[in-house]
Amino acid sequence: GENVEQHPSTLSVQEGDSAVIKCTYSDSASNYFPWYKQELGKGPQLIIDIRSNVGEKKDQRIAVTLNKTAKHFSLHITETQPEDSAVYFCAAKRGSYQLTFGKGTKLSVIP
Amino acid sequence: NAGVTQTPKFRVLKTGQSMTLLCAQDMNHEYMYWYRQDPGMGLRLIHYSVGEGTTAKGEVPDGYNVSRLKKQNFLLGLESAAPSQTSVYFCASTHGLAATDTQYFGPGTRLTVL
């Protein structure tokens, strides 16, 4: 089955700096890669996603890049703000198969 | 439109006790899921349902049972709770099984088994 590795497990950045979280996946047939943000005491919420036929997608301060050859994808957050502090999860999916999640990255943005 | 709701929010059980977690969604979604979240382990799929009356095992199904008697509800049962089942449980739903169908998550149930 699919295996998703996520790094780093914790990340601290100064407010205004950029943050990058990286994930690798094992199943070359995976074709959908969502990113979820989980705030304290809440359920995960989709923030951005990318399909395998797209190399990069951007939504305001967040962007996701995908390298199919290397089987890795990354989340980029620019101009970080304290409200970006949360746990972020990457995931991979192949067709109608179930989502496989990474183990999460705790991002702390220091004011 | 409440989305996905879960009941209860918190629960403490003694080893051997039973309980049922309720998940409800008002988006008319066909597919529903139960995950558990443990520190450093991410989200792991327990059971899922592809429609009313149908359920299937996920990655970590042992010790749990589920039922989907109504389309909008998905129940997760623990017949004899064990300390290893101490976790945060999340329910999720999707409209379909297409690769890009977004999973919507509930707020979670924090369960402690003593």
Side-chain angles (χ1 to χ4, degrees):
Chain A
E2 175 67 278
N3 182 50
V4 177
E5 298 283 340
Q6 183 172 348
H7 299 280
S9 57
T10 61
L11 178 62
S12 292
V13 299
Q14 292 291 135
E15 182 177 356
D17 287 350
S18 295
V20 180
I21 302 170
K22 299 181 179 181
C23 289
T24 60
Y25 60 98
S26 60
D27 188 347
S28 58
S30 288
N31 57 358
Y32 176 63
F33 308 92
W35 284 89
Y36 285 83
K37 176 183 180 182
Q38 185 179 25
E39 297 177 339
L40 196 61
K42 297 183 179 180
Q45 184 175 15
L46 179 73
I47 54 171
I48 195 168
D49 55 15
I50 191 167
R51 302 183 190 189
S52 60
N53 59 348
V54 175
E56 183 175 0
K57 184 177 179 181
K58 190 174 182 179
D59 183 4
Q60 299 182 348
R61 295 187 297 107
I62 61 172
V64 58
T65 59
L66 171 65
N67 183 326
K68 286 179 58 179
T69 303
K71 290 190 286 188
H72 68 69
F73 56 112
S74 301
L75 177 71
H76 304 254
I77 306 174
T78 58
E79 301 174 13
T80 53
Q81 300 169 4
E83 53 263 38
D84 294 329
S85 294
V87 179
Y88 292 81
F89 292 96
C90 63
K93 186 177 183 183
R94 169 189 173 187
S96 62
Y97 284 61
Q98 305 310 319
L99 274 174
T100 300
F101 288 86
K103 294 184 178 181
T105 297
K106 183 177 181 180
L107 173 65
S108 300
V109 179
I110 304 165
Chain B
N1 190 336
V4 180
T5 58
Q6 293 183 233
T7 310
K9 289 185 168 51
F10 304 93
R11 186 71 186 268
V12 178
L13 290 178
K14 294 182 179 179
T15 297
Q17 288 185 317
S18 63
M19 79 161 295
T20 300
L21 282 67
L22 170 65
C23 175
Q25 52 91 7
D26 60 3
M27 297 174 283
N28 200 33
H29 283 173
E30 201 67 36
Y31 307 95
M32 298 185 74
Y33 311 82
W34 275 108
Y35 292 90
R36 61 177 288 172
Q37 184 178 40
D38 302 293
M41 297 296 292
L43 289 152
R44 293 184 292 169
L45 184 64
I46 304 171
H47 285 281
Y48 63 99
S49 170
V50 300
E52 183 177 324
T54 67
T55 62
K57 294 180 180 180
E59 179 186 355
V60 288
D62 294 342
Y64 305 95
N65 56 76
V66 289
S67 64
R68 184 100 180 266
L69 299 180
K70 293 182 179 180
K71 185 176 182 178
Q72 63 267 34
N73 295 339
F74 194 27
L75 305 179
L76 178 69
L78 286 74
E79 290 185 348
S80 180
S84 61
Q85 294 177 303
T86 293
S87 187
V88 181
Y89 292 86
F90 288 99
C91 177
S93 70
T94 60
H95 173 70
L97 277 181
T100 55
D101 273 320
T102 301
Q103 284 201 13
Y104 295 88
F105 284 84
T109 294
R110 183 174 293 275
L111 175 66
T112 301
V113 183
L114 303 176

